[in-house]
Amino acid sequence: MNMYESIKKFFFTSAQRRIKNRVEQINEKRRILRQSGKMQYKNLKLLKPTHIYPNKPKLIKDILNGGGENIGHFLSPSIATAILENIKLIPERHTNSADSELQKKMRMENLEFVNMSELYWGNDEYLLSQEGQFSFFFYLFNDLLQSPDYGEKIEQYLIDYIPFATHSAYETGLKKNKDLIYYTNYSFDENVDVFAEAVYYFCKIGYLEELMEKFVELIHTKFEYESKDSDGRYIKKETDTGFSVFEKIFDQFVKENVLPLIEETDQSSSLGKRVHDILVADLLHMNSRLLYLDMSISPEAHDYHLTIGEEHEMDVMQNLVDASGKYVDELHNVQIQMYGDIEFEYFNSEVFLLRQREKYFSMKRFKSLMSE
């Protein structure tokens, strides 16, 4: 399985939809221009695959009509170049200029893609918006969580968001002993989607903005990589930063940008890390001890298991667990006061995703929120 399966599908589908929508937009405009009766538009024809890539129009047809996840097989550098040059409202209109801002303006007015970056990845304004950042890191982190090399590091980064930290801690504890669930009041249905909420939280507080800016900078440069020649020697190559080198682009971005940010993050003051450590300690130690006492000692023998202060050991340990639970609730309230109710904001946002049967998604909580 490809490590970047989710984010690849996201970008491929978006590119396919972007190209198809642009062709439809141009054809609608051309119909209007032809109907205007102006002489200069009387021979303006609808844009067809043969006008975009005459050598192999079927490839363009596949891009326009095929599933978005397959676009990477067709959107080669040569086809992308043809799309960039031939998808335009008025074919004869001159839109090149030494002035980059003027060129951008003219291309946009002629319904052209501004550059290769926009064609492949979308426009910079969207990528840098909170919605664009959320989509990007939602799919990237979702992929990295599945990776044996990166999964634990991403999880440790996301636990700064307390509901995710809580979910992670209970998951860790229950992997050790599933019977521990009987000694807690926690439910995996307390939040609608702790993973998506965590990504939304990081985007909201601006922690991922610099990373997004670095990705945008990367896709505006030529991509350099090494490849073996026919003699088995490694040689340096350069190409557009497009789908033909998708995995290489993300390998580089993750290793040079994402991992350093995660590894350099100071979690000493993280409320989520504090919650995670408390809950893991309770689950793996105090609750395990409670489970042992409950299962191995008869009610008649409880008086023989007293603390130095002559209190029942089970009662003392249960009080400790309860006190920890109250402290965790207080820390969560502090985070809400500082950054807002992330679950509520995410659920009511345009980026909310209904992810049935996904690990972090709760259909029970979703139905509860829908009924409120």
Side-chain angles (χ1 to χ4, degrees):
M1 182 180 290
N2 188 297
M3 187 169 76
Y4 304 111
E5 182 178 8
S6 296
I7 196 164
K8 176 181 279 190
K9 184 175 182 179
F10 167 70
F11 274 118
F12 285 13
T13 302
S14 297
Q16 188 269 339
R17 185 167 55 247
R18 186 162 47 251
I19 295 167
K20 182 177 182 179
N21 288 346
R22 186 64 58 90
V23 170
E24 290 176 350
Q25 185 183 9
I26 286 171
N27 282 338
E28 181 59 30
K29 283 277 189 180
R30 287 188 177 185
R31 287 189 188 96
I32 294 171
L33 290 173
R34 286 181 62 182
Q35 292 169 3
S36 70
K38 294 181 180 180
M39 290 298 294
Q40 66 264 40
Y41 301 132
K42 71 172 186 176
N43 294 322
L44 197 58
K45 299 177 181 178
L46 296 183
L47 187 61
K48 296 180 179 179
T50 50
H51 304 141
I52 299 171
Y53 198 56
N55 293 338
K56 294 182 179 179
K58 185 181 181 301
L59 295 180
I60 300 299
K61 190 178 294 184
D62 289 335
I63 291 173
L64 296 178
N65 302 323
E69 64 272 15
N70 297 318
I71 195 173
H73 298 299
F74 305 116
L75 199 54
S76 64
S78 60
I79 294 177
T81 298
I83 289 174
L84 191 67
E85 293 175 349
N86 296 321
I87 289 186
K88 53 182 67 178
L89 178 59
I90 309 299
E92 301 81 14
R93 185 171 291 172
H94 180 74
T95 57
N96 293 325
S97 173
D99 184 330
S100 60
E101 287 302 315
L102 176 59
Q103 177 170 292
K104 179 179 179 180
K105 180 175 180 295
M106 291 191 297
R107 284 180 175 271
M108 290 176 66
E109 289 174 350
N110 202 35
L111 299 183
E112 300 176 42
F113 289 107
V114 173
N115 47 40
M116 283 292 190
S117 173
E118 183 192 8
L119 174 59
Y120 282 117
W121 310 101
N123 65 59
D124 297 350
E125 290 77 12
Y126 172 76
L127 290 172
L128 294 170
S129 69
Q130 188 171 327
E131 180 181 344
Q133 287 182 51
F134 172 82
S135 296
F136 181 88
F137 288 107
F138 174 86
Y139 291 111
L140 179 59
F141 286 169
N142 183 66
D143 286 334
L144 296 180
L145 274 174
Q146 319 306 318
S147 164
D149 297 322
Y150 304 126
E152 187 175 344
K153 294 177 180 179
I154 296 296
E155 185 170 353
Q156 287 300 306
Y157 181 68
L158 294 177
I159 63 172
D160 189 54
Y161 177 60
I162 288 176
F164 185 88
T166 305
H167 188 289
S168 175
Y170 277 98
E171 188 178 44
T172 300
L174 294 175
K175 280 180 181 177
K176 300 286 184 180
N177 189 339
K178 67 179 185 301
D179 291 329
L180 293 177
I181 195 67
Y182 299 115
Y183 292 85
T184 74
N185 295 319
Y186 180 74
S187 165
F188 287 112
D189 295 311
E190 290 191 8
N191 281 65
V192 68
D193 192 334
V194 292
F195 167 69
E197 293 165 36
V199 177
Y200 187 93
Y201 160 79
F202 278 101
C203 291
K204 179 180 178 179
I205 62 180
Y207 281 12
L208 301 174
E209 188 173 349
E210 185 178 347
L211 267 185
M212 196 73 248
E213 289 172 352
K214 288 181 178 179
F215 181 77
V216 169
E217 182 180 336
L218 173 63
I219 60 178
H220 279 282
T221 60
K222 290 288 185 179
F223 187 78
E224 293 183 354
Y225 64 101
E226 288 188 340
S227 179
K228 282 185 179 181
D229 63 12
S230 57
D231 297 321
R233 296 171 301 186
Y234 282 97
I235 57 173
K236 283 191 175 183
K237 290 189 175 182
E238 185 180 84
T239 186
D240 288 315
T241 307
F243 294 162
S244 64
V245 285
F246 190 96
E247 289 83 3
K248 291 183 173 68
I249 291 169
F250 276 90
D251 279 340
Q252 178 179 309
F253 179 68
V254 169
K255 291 173 184 176
E256 295 184 5
N257 297 286
V258 178
L259 286 186
L261 172 73
I262 290 174
E263 292 168 352
E264 292 167 10
T265 298
D266 180 12
Q267 290 193 315
S268 60
S269 60
S270 168
L271 298 181
K273 180 70 164 61
R274 195 179 308 178
V275 165
H276 183 271
D277 291 348
I278 290 170
L279 291 176
V280 168
D282 282 359
L283 281 165
L284 298 186
H285 301 293
M286 286 190 278
N287 276 347
S288 293
R289 178 63 178 168
L290 279 169
L291 179 63
Y292 167 76
L293 291 172
D294 191 34
M295 296 180 68
S296 60
I297 301 171
S298 66
E300 297 78 14
H302 282 182
D303 287 340
Y304 295 101
H305 290 266
L306 302 177
T307 64
I308 294 176
E310 297 189 351
E311 298 286 339
H312 289 106
E313 183 181 359
M314 284 191 69
D315 293 341
V316 171
M317 296 196 74
Q318 186 62 59
N319 288 338
L320 282 171
V321 171
D322 291 344
S324 293
K326 291 177 182 177
Y327 181 53
V328 166
D329 289 341
E330 289 176 5
L331 290 176
H332 189 202
N333 287 332
V334 169
Q335 192 170 72
I336 290 174
Q337 290 167 12
M338 293 173 65
Y339 303 111
D341 187 337
I342 298 298
E343 183 199 35
F344 177 82
E345 290 183 26
Y346 168 66
F347 179 73
N348 290 285
S349 72
E350 293 184 357
V351 299
F352 175 77
L353 296 167
L354 182 61
R355 303 200 305 145
Q356 298 183 58
R357 296 180 296 280
E358 291 292 334
K359 172 181 175 181
Y360 296 107
F361 184 84
S362 168
M363 180 55 71
K364 183 178 180 180
R365 178 61 175 162
F366 171 75
K367 291 179 179 178
S368 174
L369 290 171
M370 287 292 292
S371 64
E372 290 180 3

